[in-house]
Amino acid sequence: MSIHLFKRMAVVLTLAAATFAYTQNKAEEALTKFQENYPQEKIHLLFNKDHYVAGENLWFKSFVFEGYNRSNISTTLFVELYDSSKKLLDKKMIPLLKGEGSGSFSLASTLKEDVYFIRAYTTWMTNFSEDFNYLQPIAVYNPASTQKLVADTDKAWSATVHPESGTFVEGIDTKFAVRLHSSGSASSNWNGYVTDSENPDLPVAKFNGFDQNVGLFNLKPQAGKNYQLTVQDEKGKKISIDLPTAVSSGLHLQVESTEKAVKYTIKSKNISTENQPYKILGTINNTLVYKAIIHKLNDAQSASIPADKLINGVLRLTIFDNKENVVAERLCFVQPQTLHIKKPNLDTDLKSEERTKNLINIGKADDFEGYSVAVADAESSTSEEENSLLSSLWLTGDLSTRITKPAQYFVKDSNPQALDALLISEKWKRFEWFSIIAGNYPFIKNKPESYISYKGKVLAQGKPATNSELNLIFTMPDSGTKFHQIKTDASGLFTLNNLVFEDTMSFSYQLNSSDKAVAGSTQVYFQPAFSFVPLRKDLPNSLMMLTDRIQGEEIPAKVAKSVSTLTFDKFINEKITDIEEVKIKVDRKNKTNKLNEELSSPLFKSMNEMVFDFVNDNNMIGGNNILQWLQGRVPGLQISTNGPNTSATMRGGPVDIFLNEMRVDPSQISMISVPDVAMIKVIRGFFAASPGGGGNGAILIYTKRGGITGSVSDNGQSKSLKEMKLKGYDKEEPFNNTIYVNIDQKSLTKDTRSTLYWNPYLPKDTKESTTVQFYNNDDAKAYKVIIIGFDEQDNLLYYNEIVK
């Protein structure tokens, strides 16, 4: 490959309009179509813990990416909880804004100890392989179970061997990645060696495994020799694998990814000229980032792709012959030692004293929209230690094979050789070149809706209400009542699109028709335009196994802490509930006192009054008879009706009735419209405003007047409207970050919380630094702090460190 050609290749990285003299461009055209029409989404979930006990809440923050940016394709995320037999236990529907969402599961206290699975996917993802759904095992402990979870270290393991670029040519020095596979916990202490059949006792290559996943060795094969790989673990177990037979002619692609460039070398032997010229395409996340034409192959040709023209991610280099057959391919990671992520500037005020307030200030960062923040006791483990956002983004989100602890490849001081060996053993499965070149693309059957959509059908007198107007009155949670009018089509159908609400939404409907019989017979049926999709594939094997629990044995320390925390949280929640109930009662009492002051004159007040507030309390009156409603609520009150006459007595004596402080006959009360009632007071015993002293008390009824408002609204909605409910997004349980506010610390048991702070949406303070405030438990001396954020250009801020 000439120097001139290298310069052309470097220009290609910056000039999208560069052209090449090449007979075939089907691969590039197919890739463009795939990229434009079949974008790929992937998911990462951040959990508040990495294990749970039955009865706890599980919180998660979700990130949905299209490639390496947050996705704008999907606005709804489906999250499911399965047990180990693939029984669906619970499911949640979560709204997404710029690819981010959050939710929670309440784990039943009756769950047996076992490994459970969290699955997450979008509607768009159901058009592609299930292998790219997010599927995460979660350990749930329950000391009351008859069986307990332990690490599965006895499962059989196997190994596979992978030559670099998939080719093995005589006389060409070749890297081989050795990949371990196990359904249990794989060993990180293993090694191997290679022998040939002529000298089985003399190793020609030796190596030690990098980690639980992969090892690497080099071998220059000689003609006519057969090679065998032996792999052994620390327990002495051995397996043997035959290496592929080296071929006498072929092409081999070697890649080295450094801080400055991705250097590749093409070595060949006995290559026929009939398959030339060759081309090499480089893609990152299904996007073409590099192209070169090799008109004539030499024995060895090298070129470099400047790293500053690329981004962090998996680079797929593919060599095609002149018929666009793939002849060699290699995955590598761009700049593995320089991850282009932003770090926050932190100013901390941390204390080691138990139950004290701690502060972490996040410095003002350019254009960051907000943060997802989790703080844990440094002695505990987090979900990011197994599979982090970085490993989901750059590795497991695009590779479908199982990788043990993928987060290890993107931490400080990680071994770039291990990641490179891992990628030698992998294949890009988002698409196959031969398939898209042949025009075989995914079949799109499920298109994403914008948030929640419902399809409706209107029937009147049993027939479709075609081209008709339907009035809908929605009662939206936290946003009051809204009126909406829709028109049906020629089949009586309509749609409600782009709805965003939690829990349920109540609404009433009425057909616009002068024909009362038609309007009165109206029926509306709804069908959601969204759906959960059953999991077809089997659940993966767990790294843990169940074994019988011995009665009286000590439970693991981390489980004991979680059990203690569960008891602690229940106690806290009861305290908070009591406090909130007192606050509500006090607030209602204050509002009722204010209403009483507004409506009652001094003469119509008494120390012995009972007040019923219809403005601020939800005192629903059944029917139109106010006196009958009072009879069931006021001790000793009796209401008698004799034809048109109505009388009220209390403790055997007559009771005077006042309407707006004017004495009226009891029979007149039935003429008052119930929604017009603002307040009723019952005076027991002596009442000065009654004629003759009123020793038996009085009933005072006050109607609403201009300016009287309260927490209970009356929208004047016709009672003839028919009511329905629609299912919305699942409501997330609140996480208590202000645990010691308004609570006496001395009344609490030992605080063993591992999650000290959880906030999936911490808004950025635009004027000052953004403050994270949390309370220590009884033991923590250091803290694991996780901070995730994105700016307007989708640059990632990621921080996962221990601070003291």
Side-chain angles (χ1 to χ4, degrees), residues 41-256:
E41 288 185 318
K42 54 191 170 188
I43 296 170
H44 178 71
L45 296 188
L46 169 69
F47 297 95
N48 69 302
K49 297 173 62 177
D50 72 333
H51 71 277
Y52 297 87
V53 295
E56 281 190 301
N57 285 325
L58 176 156
W59 281 275
F60 61 86
K61 174 65 186 282
S62 58
F63 302 90
V64 181
F65 297 95
E66 179 199 344
Y68 298 147
N69 296 319
R70 289 175 298 172
S71 177
N72 290 315
I73 298 173
S74 299
T75 53
T76 297
L77 181 70
F78 301 96
V79 188
E80 299 167 343
L81 174 66
Y82 290 88
D83 68 11
S84 58
S85 61
K86 214 174 91 168
K87 178 184 178 183
L88 180 62
L89 302 179
D90 202 356
K91 56 187 180 181
K92 303 292 181 180
M93 194 166 66
I94 307 298
L96 297 172
L97 180 62
K98 292 185 178 180
E100 295 186 50
S102 64
S104 63
F105 285 100
S106 294
L107 302 175
S109 59
T110 55
L111 286 182
K112 70 171 187 176
E113 186 161 318
D114 204 351
V115 174
Y116 295 79
F117 292 85
I118 301 287
R119 177 197 181 204
Y121 58 95
T122 66
T123 297
W124 180 249
M125 290 173 69
T126 62
N127 295 300
F128 309 99
S129 171
E130 273 190 334
D131 291 340
F132 296 105
N133 286 186
Y134 180 90
L135 197 57
Q136 178 67 32
I138 296 288
V140 178
Y141 296 92
N142 187 342
S145 292
T146 57
Q147 291 185 305
K148 63 179 181 179
L149 284 171
V150 295
D152 188 355
T153 58
D154 296 327
K155 282 284 179 70
W157 54 267
S158 61
T160 52
V161 62
H162 308 267
E164 184 175 20
S165 81
T167 59
F168 192 36
V169 183
E170 292 175 359
I172 296 178
D173 192 25
T174 303
K175 287 181 184 177
F176 274 87
V178 182
R179 186 74 175 268
L180 284 194
H181 307 276
S182 174
S183 57
S185 298
S187 171
S188 57
N189 184 13
W190 59 285
N191 58 69
Y193 56 90
V194 179
T195 58
D196 65 56
S197 56
E198 295 177 2
N199 299 289
D201 298 324
L202 180 64
V204 295
K206 293 182 179 181
F207 70 94
N208 291 314
F210 290 124
D211 50 42
Q212 309 96 315
N213 296 305
V214 71
L216 188 72
F217 67 87
N218 279 61
L219 182 64
K220 187 175 183 179
Q222 298 179 24
K225 289 199 173 184
N226 296 314
Y227 298 94
Q228 188 177 67
L229 168 69
T230 300
V231 181
Q232 56 190 7
D233 64 14
E234 77 277 11
K235 296 180 180 179
K237 178 188 173 181
K238 292 183 179 182
I239 61 171
S240 295
I241 308 167
D242 291 331
L243 267 61
T245 302
V247 295
S248 59
S249 64
L251 180 151
H252 183 63
L253 175 63
Q254 298 176 347
V255 177
E256 181 184 7

Side-chain angles (χ1 to χ4, degrees), residues 736-790:
N736 184 12
N737 286 316
T738 58
I739 193 163
Y740 287 123
V741 176
N742 299 324
I743 289 181
D744 180 13
Q745 295 186 18
K746 296 179 180 179
S747 66
L748 301 177
T749 58
K750 185 172 177 59
D751 184 351
T752 57
R753 291 172 299 129
S754 60
T755 306
L756 305 176
Y757 183 88
W758 172 262
N759 192 340
Y761 297 103
L762 177 63
K764 172 188 173 184
D765 191 320
T766 56
K767 296 181 180 179
E768 304 291 340
S769 59
T770 304
T771 300
V772 175
Q773 177 179 301
F774 66 94
Y775 290 86
N776 195 9
N777 60 20
D778 288 350
D779 301 309
K781 307 299 180 185
Y783 309 95
K784 289 183 179 177
V785 179
I786 298 171
I787 303 173
I788 300 170
F790 300 87

Side-chain angles (χ1 to χ4, degrees), residues 271-440:
I271 289 293
S272 172
T273 58
E274 67 180 22
N275 291 326
Q276 299 185 39
Y278 291 88
K279 76 176 170 186
I280 182 166
L281 299 183
T283 62
I284 295 180
N285 186 46
N286 305 332
T287 301
L288 185 65
V289 297
Y290 179 79
K291 177 177 177 180
I293 306 301
I294 308 163
H295 291 284
K296 184 177 181 180
L297 276 175
N298 300 321
D299 290 343
Q301 294 166 285
S302 297
S304 292
I305 308 172
D308 61 359
K309 303 296 183 181
L310 303 174
I311 60 173
N312 285 138
V314 174
L315 173 65
R316 181 187 190 185
L317 290 172
T318 309
I319 300 178
F320 299 84
D321 65 16
N322 61 5
K323 298 180 181 62
E324 295 206 286
N325 298 310
V326 174
V327 294
E329 187 167 85
R330 168 78 146 87
L331 302 183
C332 71
F333 194 84
V334 178
Q335 291 187 303
Q337 293 174 304
T338 305
L339 302 181
H340 297 285
I341 53 179
K342 295 190 175 183
K343 299 287 186 180
N345 295 315
L346 301 184
D347 177 26
T348 62
D349 181 13
L350 302 176
K351 301 176 176 65
S352 59
E353 292 84 2
E354 61 185 40
R355 307 186 187 188
T356 54
K357 183 167 69 175
N358 294 276
L359 299 177
I360 298 175
N361 294 313
I362 306 173
K364 293 180 66 177
D366 295 337
D367 301 325
F368 278 85
E369 302 165 351
Y371 308 95
S372 304
V373 183
V375 180
D377 185 335
E379 297 298 319
S380 64
S381 53
T382 71
S383 65
E384 290 292 283
E385 292 168 31
E386 285 290 330
N387 189 21
S388 66
L389 181 140
L390 301 183
S391 58
S392 288
L393 182 66
W394 287 325
L395 202 63
T396 57
D398 290 313
L399 304 178
S400 58
T401 52
R402 178 176 177 173
I403 301 172
T404 300
K405 200 177 180 180
Q408 65 184 306
Y409 299 109
F410 303 103
V411 297
K412 187 178 180 181
D413 300 326
S414 61
N415 184 355
Q417 271 192 299
L419 176 58
D420 196 54
L422 183 80
L423 289 174
I424 289 175
S425 72
E426 287 286 350
K427 295 292 183 183
W428 189 261
K429 293 295 181 66
R430 285 295 190 176
F431 69 87
E432 298 282 359
W433 278 113
F434 71 86
S435 182
I436 64 171
I437 290 173
N440 298 322

